[in-house]
Structures are given as structure tokens and as C-alpha cells.
Amino acid sequence: MFNPKRVIFEEAALNYEKGQELLKLFKNQDVEIKYSKNGRITGIPGKTDKEMFLEGKSTLVVGVRKKLDFQSCKPSAHYQLPLVSGCMGMCEYCYLNTQMGKKPYIKIHVNTDEILEKAGKYIEERKPDITIFEGAATSDPIPVEAYTGALKDAIEYFGANDKSLFRFVTKFTEVDSLLNAKHNGRTTIRFSININEAIRKYEHKSEDFQGRIAAAKKVSDAGYPIGFIIAPVFLDEGYEEKYYDMLKYTKSIMDNNNIMFEVISHRFTKRAKENILKVFPKTTLPMEEELRKFKYGQFGYGKYIYTNEEMKNYKEFFTKSISELWSKENINYII
Ligand code: SF4
């Protein structure tokens, strides 16, 4: 659970019951409280890139989502559901590091009802087709769920609408409040997993592998469709054995054969590398361009991926291992 060092309330949020409840809650804690009149977030300290990053990651903003238009979320969903932005985790390779600015604060919204109402309009527009919403496009929503209950509300909202589906992904484990939600099988919860060696080195403040599997088991037992994203996979010497052990452990705990796997090898862009080095100057992430193959990207951002030979072996290894423990049909993609 996210325990912020400071909480900034947008004044408009205090017009909502949820905003008042949260103000009361944080006033009773040893937390710095600030207010923002016009929605501009100021007052987060920090001089160096690292300080700004750490202070941003320790700040919770309680706001109102005014702009109700949703961003598209291709190819995995139709729309992003804007419940939360930012994440308390500090994964060195986080995709948010290039998107959230220098002070990546975590923002929650007190007007979940209005956000879901807007989702309802999008569903109506696309009928009779089904509309899929992604709840973790710009965040990991689990660590702030205890404050908002927004995921549970969304799960029940989509659970009651047979023209919608909902999905989100997490590296955290506080799922108990979701177990009795009326999801009707319409929400897929995906867990992003990795070997503990990678989690310890790079995924600071997130939960360990066994904890994530235990949480996945709980939501699976509660009837949710589930999936695993294995990412990023590092093709270091002897990686096969480590990842095979990880898969075997997963199989031993999960008695659900209906699990979808997405497997993503490590890759980086020049821009991401620059950002990572500013905040984590001593990172041990493997980011030597000369050891990788450059792949031109859609928007001018080329990526450095593993070489053809490495990718071929890696794809064969994961295809064989997942097929052996589950089946080939459980593989969504391996890239
Ligand atoms: Fe980013 Fe996910 Fe790590 Fe949070 S848990 S820092 S969203 S990669």
C-alpha cells in the first residue's frame, strides 16, 4: 500500500465526499498536507533529477478528473480508463519514466462515478460491439486502491454490463478487497512477474515473485480470468534454468489451466536509457547498444532488442516451456 510523504488536495476534490474522507484520513496521519487551488501541482521539492524523482514518487495528489474524454489504448483495449496515474513502484525500466515528467507523483480521482458514467457512453456508442477498457495504462492502480476503491467500483460496473470488458495489470499483491466484487468474469487481472533476481535488482518497492503468485492464486480462486506478463526477460547466461524454475513454481501454485501468457524480452530506446541514467546512475541494466540489434520504431523511436540468434533461442525456449507446463494455446505472444 502506498504511504505517501505528502498529499496534495485539489480544492475541487474537497467538494466530493470521497475528498473529505481522504482529508480526514490523512489529517490523522503523519503526512504533510497541501492544497492546490487551480489544479497546478507545485510544492514538490527536489533539486537534482534523482531528488525530484524520489519526492514525486512520495507524493499523492487527490484530484477530480475534469477532462472526461478517454485516450485510446490500442492494440490491447479500446480505451484507457483514467482512474489513477503514476505508481509508487520504482522499477528502473518502467515505461512511465519517460511519460510522467521529472516529479512523477501519483494521482487519484474522487469522481469515479463520473468517469464510469463516461465509460458507459463509450460502451453505448460501440454497441453491439464489446468495448474493452484498460485500467493500468498509466499507473499500477493496486497500491492506492485502499484509498479509492475505484478498481472495485469499475470491476462491478463492467461486471454488470455485458457489452464491456475490463483489464488491468499489476506488480502488487493487495487484492483482498477485490475478491468479493461482482466481476461476472468480465475483468481480467494480469500480474507482471519476473525472477526474483531481476525484481531485487530493478523493481524497487514492488512485491516479490512468490507474493505476486499468491495474489494471482487468490484472484483466480475468486473466479477472475487471469494472465501473466513475464517481462522484461533478460537473456543472461543461464537464464533458461531460472525462468523455467519460475514457470514450474507458478504451475505448482496455480491449478488454473486457463492462464494467458505474454512474454516480453528486454529492450530499450536511447531516450529511456538517458532517463534511467539520470535517476539511477549506477544501474546495472544491460543497455550496451553494441550488443543489441537496432529495430526501427513506428514513431521514430528505434529500440535496441536482442540479436536475431538470441531472440530465436528465447522464443523457442518459452514456447517449449509454456507448452509443456500448460499448452501452446496459453501463449498470447512472445516478443
Ligand atoms: Fe512502473 Fe509498473 Fe514498476 Fe509501477 S510497478 S514503477 S507502473 S513498472
Side-chain angles (χ1 to χ4, degrees):
M1 180 173 169
F2 180 38
N3 291 307
K5 190 163 145 189
R6 79 182 59 74
V7 184
I8 304 177
F9 284 87
E10 286 181 0
E11 286 197 342
L14 299 173
N15 298 328
Y16 289 75
E17 207 181 313
K18 186 95 218 157
Q20 286 295 339
E21 274 172 29
L22 288 169
L23 180 63
K24 203 166 148 206
L25 176 86
F26 287 113
K27 274 193 168 165
N28 287 328
Q29 295 180 12
D30 183 23
V31 176
E32 181 188 355
I33 293 182
K34 290 175 177 273
Y35 300 93
S36 157
K37 264 198 174 24
N38 46 13
R40 278 188 62 234
I41 303 306
T42 53
I44 302 176
K47 288 200 179 76
T48 63
D49 284 308
K50 178 137 199 166
E51 279 168 15
M52 288 191 271
F53 177 81
L54 293 176
E55 293 294 341
K57 287 271 182 185
S58 312
T59 304
L60 179 68
V61 173
V62 180
V64 180
R65 173 81 188 189
K66 290 186 216 93
K67 185 173 161 274
L68 283 172
D69 289 343
F70 295 179
Q71 304 262 351
S72 72
C73 193
K74 286 175 189 158
S76 60
H78 296 102
Y79 294 106
Q80 302 182 8
L81 188 73
L83 298 177
V84 181
S85 63
C87 172
M88 63 166 267
M90 294 192 197
C91 304
E92 296 186 11
Y93 36 63
C94 177
Y95 62 107
L96 296 180
N97 289 346
T98 44
Q99 291 179 20
M100 305 289 301
K102 290 194 166 212
K103 296 175 179 174
Y105 55 79
I106 293 90
K107 185 170 184 193
I108 56 178
H109 301 108
V110 291
N111 58 334
T112 311
D113 291 357
E114 288 167 317
I115 296 169
L116 292 175
E117 215 173 279
K118 181 72 187 182
K121 292 200 175 123
Y122 284 116
I123 296 169
E124 283 302 313
E125 273 170 26
R126 288 183 38 83
K127 266 183 178 173
D129 292 343
I130 286 185
T131 306
I132 307 173
F133 295 89
E134 167 61 59
T138 58
S139 68
D140 190 316
I142 287 283
V144 288
E145 176 64 9
Y147 299 125
T148 63
L151 273 181
K152 185 173 183 191
D153 289 345
I155 288 168
E156 296 203 327
Y157 183 86
F158 297 119
N161 188 320
D162 66 0
K163 290 294 174 205
S164 68
L165 292 171
F166 183 42
R167 48 194 270 146
F168 66 90
V169 59
T170 186
K171 284 186 169 71
F172 291 86
T173 59
E174 289 139 318
V175 293
D176 286 6
S177 67
L178 309 180
L179 299 180
N180 64 0
K182 296 179 197 72
H183 58 76
N184 285 328
R186 308 198 71 77
T187 292
T188 301
I189 304 183
R190 289 135 75 229
F191 288 83
S192 168
I193 56 173
N194 214 323
I195 52 175
N196 274 328
E197 187 182 319
I199 292 175
R200 274 193 293 271
K201 276 196 213 159
Y202 307 124
E203 299 185 355
H204 315 296
K205 298 223 168 176
S206 67
E207 306 284 349
D208 71 3
F209 161 65
Q210 285 81 2
R212 294 182 207 177
I213 298 297
K217 166 88 172 129
K218 283 190 202 171
V219 297
S220 169
D221 287 350
Y224 283 95
I226 69 159
F228 288 115
I229 303 181
I230 306 175
V233 179
F234 296 99
L235 310 188
D236 299 338
E237 183 79 32
Y239 75 89
E240 294 94 336
E241 202 185 330
K242 296 174 194 170
Y243 282 95
Y244 190 71
D245 284 350
M246 186 187 93
L247 288 169
K248 256 194 359 206
Y249 179 84
T250 305
K251 177 74 183 178
S252 73
I253 302 291
M254 308 293 305
D255 44 13
N256 176 352
N257 282 327
N258 225 350
I259 298 171
M260 290 313 290
F261 286 90
E262 298 158 75
V263 192
I264 306 172
S265 57
H266 178 248
R267 65 241 358 257
F268 61 93
T269 61
K270 254 202 175 359
R271 189 165 157 233
K273 179 176 174 178
E274 281 164 19
N275 274 317
I276 291 168
L277 287 170
K278 276 186 199 152
V279 181
F280 301 102
K282 293 191 181 136
T283 184
T284 57
L285 275 171
M287 295 192 291
E288 292 92 0
E289 287 91 339
E290 54 286 5
L291 298 181
R292 297 292 179 97
K293 173 183 157 176
F294 185 72
K295 190 177 171 202
Y296 286 95
Q298 235 182 330
F299 307 104
Y301 287 119
K303 291 173 191 159
Y304 291 92
I305 62 172
Y306 284 103
T307 62
N308 291 351
E309 181 68 16
E310 287 169 319
M311 289 300 276
K312 183 172 166 280
N313 293 340
Y314 147 81
K315 284 183 185 176
E316 277 172 13
F317 162 72
F318 271 99
T319 306
K320 186 168 168 282
S321 305
I322 295 173
S323 305
E324 181 191 307
L325 293 163
W326 287 271
S327 81
K328 209 169 175 183
E329 281 64 51
N330 292 79
I331 301 172
N332 200 339
Y333 59 82
I334 302 175
I335 55 170

